[in-house]
Protein backbone atom coordinates (compact mmCIF):
# COMPACT_ATOMS: atom_id res chain seq x y z
CA UNK A 1 0.00 0.00 0.00
CA UNK A 2 1.05 3.57 -0.71
CA UNK A 3 0.43 6.69 1.33
CA UNK A 4 0.48 9.81 -0.86
CA UNK A 5 0.07 13.32 0.49
CA UNK A 6 -0.56 16.03 -2.12
CA UNK A 7 0.65 19.32 -0.72
CA UNK A 8 -1.61 22.33 -1.04
CA UNK A 9 1.19 24.28 -2.71
CA UNK A 10 1.67 21.44 -5.21
CA UNK A 11 -1.92 21.39 -6.42
CA UNK A 12 -2.93 25.05 -6.03
CA UNK A 13 -1.41 28.47 -6.54
CA UNK A 14 -0.87 29.28 -2.88
CA UNK A 15 -0.71 33.06 -3.42
CA UNK A 16 -3.81 33.12 -5.66
CA UNK A 17 -7.05 32.32 -3.85
CA UNK A 18 -9.11 29.42 -5.21
CA UNK A 19 -6.67 28.56 -8.02
CA UNK A 20 -6.20 24.86 -8.86
CA UNK A 21 -3.23 23.57 -10.87
CA UNK A 22 -4.99 21.47 -13.47
CA UNK A 23 -3.37 18.22 -14.53
CA UNK A 24 -0.97 17.69 -11.60
CA UNK A 25 -3.10 15.14 -9.75
CA UNK A 26 -3.99 13.31 -12.96
CA UNK A 27 -0.31 12.54 -13.61
CA UNK A 28 0.14 11.22 -10.08
CA UNK A 29 -2.86 8.93 -10.53
CA UNK A 30 -1.31 7.45 -13.66
CA UNK A 31 1.90 6.62 -11.83
CA UNK A 32 -0.05 4.95 -9.00
CA UNK A 33 -2.08 2.65 -11.24
CA UNK A 34 -2.26 -0.90 -9.94
CA UNK A 35 -1.29 0.10 -6.39
CA UNK A 36 -3.48 0.14 -3.30
CA UNK A 37 -3.26 3.63 -1.85
CA UNK A 38 -4.57 6.21 0.55
CA UNK A 39 -4.39 9.76 -0.78
CA UNK A 40 -4.46 12.92 1.29
CA UNK A 41 -4.36 16.52 0.18
CA UNK A 42 -3.98 19.95 1.66
CA UNK A 43 -6.42 22.81 1.33
CA UNK A 44 -4.01 25.07 -0.53
CA UNK A 45 -5.31 28.44 -1.64
CA UNK A 46 -8.89 27.23 -1.27
CA UNK A 47 -9.25 26.42 2.42
CA UNK A 48 -6.26 28.31 3.83
CA UNK A 49 -7.32 31.58 2.28
CA UNK A 50 -10.77 31.38 3.86
CA UNK A 51 -9.62 29.92 7.18
CA UNK A 52 -6.99 32.61 7.65
CA UNK A 53 -9.72 35.25 7.52
CA UNK A 54 -11.87 33.57 10.15
CA UNK A 55 -9.51 31.49 12.29
CA UNK A 56 -6.57 33.81 12.83
CA UNK A 57 -7.34 34.27 16.52
CA UNK A 58 -8.23 30.62 17.08
CA UNK A 59 -11.92 31.46 17.43
CA UNK A 60 -14.42 30.49 14.76
CA UNK A 61 -17.42 32.40 13.58
CA UNK A 62 -20.25 30.17 12.29
CA UNK A 63 -19.87 31.67 8.83
CA UNK A 64 -16.15 30.96 8.88
CA UNK A 65 -16.80 27.29 9.61
CA UNK A 66 -19.32 27.08 6.76
CA UNK A 67 -17.16 28.87 4.20
CA UNK A 68 -14.04 26.91 5.08
CA UNK A 69 -15.96 23.66 4.80
CA UNK A 70 -17.30 24.76 1.42
CA UNK A 71 -13.75 25.49 0.26
CA UNK A 72 -12.35 22.10 1.29
CA UNK A 73 -15.21 20.30 -0.41
CA UNK A 74 -14.55 22.28 -3.56
CA UNK A 75 -10.86 21.44 -3.77
CA UNK A 76 -11.49 17.83 -2.82
CA UNK A 77 -13.96 17.45 -5.67
CA UNK A 78 -11.28 18.68 -8.08
CA UNK A 79 -8.70 16.25 -6.68
CA UNK A 80 -11.11 13.31 -6.86
CA UNK A 81 -12.07 14.20 -10.44
CA UNK A 82 -8.45 14.28 -11.57
CA UNK A 83 -7.62 11.02 -9.78
CA UNK A 84 -10.50 9.37 -11.61
CA UNK A 85 -9.42 10.90 -14.92
CA UNK A 86 -5.98 9.39 -14.34
CA UNK A 87 -7.40 5.90 -13.92
CA UNK A 88 -7.70 5.62 -10.13
CA UNK A 89 -10.91 4.70 -8.29
CA UNK A 90 -11.09 7.44 -5.65
CA UNK A 91 -13.70 7.69 -2.91
CA UNK A 92 -13.76 10.93 -0.87
CA UNK A 93 -14.06 10.53 2.89
CA UNK A 94 -14.78 13.63 4.94
CA UNK A 95 -12.55 13.81 8.03
CA UNK A 96 -15.35 15.68 9.82
CA UNK A 97 -17.38 12.44 9.60
CA UNK A 98 -14.73 10.24 11.22
CA UNK A 99 -12.79 12.54 13.56
CA UNK A 100 -13.65 14.28 16.81
CA UNK A 101 -10.88 16.81 17.23
CA UNK A 102 -7.60 14.94 16.68
CA UNK A 103 -9.15 11.56 17.49
CA UNK A 104 -10.10 9.14 14.72
CA UNK A 105 -13.22 7.46 16.10
CA UNK A 106 -14.50 5.63 13.01
CA UNK A 107 -12.10 3.99 10.57
CA UNK A 108 -14.79 1.78 9.00
CA UNK A 109 -15.30 3.96 5.88
CA UNK A 110 -11.58 3.71 5.10
CA UNK A 111 -11.43 -0.04 5.78
CA UNK A 112 -14.45 -0.74 3.57
CA UNK A 113 -13.12 1.43 0.74
CA UNK A 114 -9.76 -0.35 0.75
CA UNK A 115 -11.40 -3.78 0.89
CA UNK A 116 -13.36 -2.92 -2.27
CA UNK A 117 -10.33 -1.75 -4.23
CA UNK A 118 -11.11 1.95 -3.86
CA UNK A 119 -8.65 4.73 -3.05
CA UNK A 120 -9.74 6.68 0.04
CA UNK A 121 -9.17 10.42 -0.35
CA UNK A 122 -8.98 12.51 2.83
CA UNK A 123 -7.94 16.11 3.38
CA UNK A 124 -7.29 18.85 5.86
CA UNK A 125 -10.67 19.74 7.30
CA UNK A 126 -12.74 21.58 9.87
CA UNK A 127 -13.86 18.93 12.36
CA UNK A 128 -16.10 18.92 15.44
CA UNK A 129 -14.48 18.73 18.85
CA UNK A 130 -15.67 18.97 22.46
CA UNK A 131 -14.84 22.68 22.40
CA UNK A 132 -16.51 23.45 19.06
CA UNK A 133 -14.74 23.17 15.70
CA UNK A 134 -11.02 22.87 15.04
CA UNK A 135 -8.73 22.40 12.04
CA UNK A 136 -7.05 19.06 11.45
CA UNK A 137 -4.34 19.10 8.80
CA UNK A 138 -3.78 16.49 6.12
CA UNK A 139 -0.31 15.99 7.63
CA UNK A 140 -1.87 15.02 10.97
CA UNK A 141 -4.18 12.59 9.19
CA UNK A 142 -1.25 11.16 7.21
CA UNK A 143 0.46 10.17 10.46
CA UNK A 144 -2.70 8.43 11.67
CA UNK A 145 -3.08 6.58 8.38
CA UNK A 146 0.56 5.46 8.46
CA UNK A 147 0.25 4.10 12.00
CA UNK A 148 -2.99 2.27 11.25
CA UNK A 149 -2.35 0.87 7.78
CA UNK A 150 1.45 0.59 7.65
CA UNK A 151 2.02 1.48 3.97
CA UNK A 152 5.24 0.27 2.40
CA UNK A 153 6.17 3.86 1.54
CA UNK A 154 4.90 7.38 2.19
CA UNK A 155 5.37 10.19 -0.31
CA UNK A 156 4.81 13.89 0.28
CA UNK A 157 4.44 15.71 -3.04
CA UNK A 158 5.29 19.41 -2.99
CA UNK A 159 5.95 22.33 -5.31
CA UNK A 160 9.72 21.94 -4.75
CA UNK A 161 11.98 18.92 -5.15
CA UNK A 162 12.60 18.28 -1.47
CA UNK A 163 13.38 19.95 1.83
CA UNK A 164 15.94 22.74 1.79
CA UNK A 165 18.10 24.18 4.53
CA UNK A 166 16.44 27.55 3.86
CA UNK A 167 13.69 28.76 1.53
CA UNK A 168 14.61 27.63 -2.02
CA UNK A 169 16.17 30.44 -4.02
CA UNK A 170 17.60 32.26 -1.02
CA UNK A 171 21.38 32.59 -0.63
CA UNK A 172 22.96 29.48 0.83
CA UNK A 173 19.85 27.28 0.50
CA UNK A 174 20.75 23.65 -0.12
CA UNK A 175 18.49 20.70 -0.73
CA UNK A 176 18.92 17.84 1.71
CA UNK A 177 19.17 14.39 0.13
CA UNK A 178 18.52 12.94 3.58
CA UNK A 179 16.51 14.98 6.06
CA UNK A 180 18.56 16.71 8.75
CA UNK A 181 16.29 18.74 11.00
CA UNK A 182 19.22 20.61 12.54
CA UNK A 183 19.91 22.24 9.15
CA UNK A 184 16.34 23.34 8.52
CA UNK A 185 15.19 26.94 8.64
CA UNK A 186 11.41 27.48 8.49
CA UNK A 187 9.69 30.00 6.22
CA UNK A 188 6.12 30.97 5.44
CA UNK A 189 4.86 31.79 1.96
CA UNK A 190 1.29 32.23 0.79
CA UNK A 191 -1.70 31.26 2.91
CA UNK A 192 -1.17 28.44 5.41
CA UNK A 193 -2.84 27.98 8.79
CA UNK A 194 -1.65 24.42 9.39
CA UNK A 195 2.09 24.76 9.81
CA UNK A 196 3.72 24.77 6.37
CA UNK A 197 7.01 22.95 5.79
CA UNK A 198 7.67 22.31 9.49
CA UNK A 199 4.38 20.44 9.76
CA UNK A 200 5.38 18.24 6.82
CA UNK A 201 8.76 17.54 8.39
CA UNK A 202 7.20 16.63 11.73
CA UNK A 203 4.72 14.33 10.00
CA UNK A 204 7.48 12.69 7.95
CA UNK A 205 9.54 12.05 11.08
CA UNK A 206 6.53 10.58 12.90
CA UNK A 207 5.82 8.24 9.98
CA UNK A 208 9.47 7.19 9.72
CA UNK A 209 9.40 6.45 13.45
CA UNK A 210 6.99 3.56 12.85
CA UNK A 211 9.35 2.00 10.32
CA UNK A 212 8.04 3.46 7.06
CA UNK A 213 10.37 5.13 4.52
CA UNK A 214 9.30 8.66 3.61
CA UNK A 215 10.14 10.76 0.55
CA UNK A 216 9.46 14.44 0.02
CA UNK A 217 9.42 15.13 -3.71
CA UNK A 218 8.27 17.54 -6.38
CA UNK A 219 4.87 16.75 -7.86
CA UNK A 220 6.37 17.61 -11.25
CA UNK A 221 9.16 15.03 -11.00
CA UNK A 222 7.34 11.99 -12.39
CA UNK A 223 10.62 10.12 -12.89
CA UNK A 224 11.47 10.36 -9.19
CA UNK A 225 7.96 9.36 -8.17
CA UNK A 226 8.18 6.26 -10.35
CA UNK A 227 11.60 5.42 -8.86
CA UNK A 228 10.38 5.88 -5.29
CA UNK A 229 7.35 3.66 -5.81
CA UNK A 230 9.42 1.01 -7.61
CA UNK A 231 12.52 0.55 -5.46
CA UNK A 232 13.43 3.79 -3.68
CA UNK A 233 16.58 4.35 -5.75
CA UNK A 234 17.62 6.94 -8.36
CA UNK A 235 15.29 9.66 -7.13
CA UNK A 236 15.79 13.40 -6.67
CA UNK A 237 13.83 13.79 -3.42
CA UNK A 238 14.57 14.30 0.27
CA UNK A 239 14.59 10.93 2.02
CA UNK A 240 13.60 10.23 5.62
CA UNK A 241 14.94 6.81 6.63
CA UNK A 242 12.64 4.53 8.62
CA UNK A 243 13.46 3.89 12.26
CA UNK A 244 11.70 2.62 15.33
Amino acid sequence: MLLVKLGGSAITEKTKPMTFKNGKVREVARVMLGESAIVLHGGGSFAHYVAEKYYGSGEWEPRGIALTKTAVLRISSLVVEELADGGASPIPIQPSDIYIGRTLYNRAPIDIALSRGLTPVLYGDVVPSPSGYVIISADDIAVDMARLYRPRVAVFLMDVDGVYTAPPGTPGARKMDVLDVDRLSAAKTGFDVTGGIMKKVQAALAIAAVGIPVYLCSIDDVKSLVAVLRDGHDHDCTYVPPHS
Side-chain angles (χ1 to χ4, degrees):
M1 177 189 293
L2 311 176
L3 182 66
V4 178
K5 157 68 192 312
L6 305 167
S9 58
I11 60 176
T12 72
E13 297 287 352
K14 287 293 289 284
T15 58
K16 297 179 181 178
M18 309 294 180
T19 306
F20 190 69
K21 295 179 180 178
N22 294 309
K24 303 287 187 182
V25 178
R26 186 181 304 114
E27 290 303 312
V28 174
R30 289 171 177 161
V31 174
M32 290 168 39
L33 284 179
E35 297 270 8
S36 174
I38 296 175
V39 173
L40 305 108
H41 67 83
S45 63
F46 287 71
H48 291 298
Y49 172 69
V50 178
E52 192 168 76
K53 292 172 62 176
Y54 291 96
Y55 193 66
S57 64
E59 295 290 334
W60 280 106
E61 300 174 26
R63 183 162 174 79
I65 296 170
L67 292 179
T68 302
K69 186 65 176 179
T70 299
V72 296
L73 289 172
R74 184 178 177 188
I75 186 175
S76 189
S77 69
L78 295 169
V79 170
V80 168
E81 181 179 339
E82 287 217 346
L83 286 170
D85 286 347
S89 299
I91 184 77
I93 297 174
Q94 293 193 54
S96 58
D97 289 342
I98 61 175
Y99 275 87
I100 294 292
R102 277 287 292 110
T103 302
L104 176 65
Y105 73 89
N106 180 19
R107 60 181 281 183
I110 304 169
D111 292 343
I112 294 169
L114 290 170
S115 72
R116 297 299 186 272
L118 294 165
T119 298
V121 180
L122 298 92
Y123 45 85
D125 199 4
V126 182
V127 301
S129 77
S131 60
Y133 282 83
V134 297
I135 292 175
I136 184 170
S137 75
D139 295 315
D140 291 328
I141 299 172
V143 175
D144 289 343
M145 296 300 102
R147 289 170 174 165
L148 283 172
Y149 295 100
R150 299 301 175 104
R152 65 179 179 84
V153 65
V155 184
F156 287 70
L157 295 176
M158 310 182 295
D159 62 338
V160 292
D161 58 349
V163 180
Y164 283 69
T165 56
T170 60
R174 297 288 183 272
K175 194 186 82 174
M176 291 180 276
D177 293 329
V178 178
L179 183 67
D180 181 352
V181 177
D182 293 335
R183 299 174 62 203
L184 182 63
S185 174
K188 177 180 178 182
T189 58
F191 312 104
D192 198 333
V193 294
T194 57
I197 187 64
M198 288 306 298
K199 190 73 172 181
K200 292 178 180 62
V201 167
Q202 290 165 0
L205 290 170
I207 293 170
V210 296
I212 298 165
V214 183
Y215 299 85
L216 298 102
C217 311
S218 168
I219 196 170
D220 295 317
D221 188 356
V222 176
K223 181 179 178 181
S224 284
L225 180 56
V226 170
V228 164
L229 299 185
R230 184 179 64 241
D231 56 21
H233 300 298
D234 299 322
H235 62 82
D236 189 25
C237 309
T238 295
Y239 175 54
V240 187
H243 59 278
S244 56

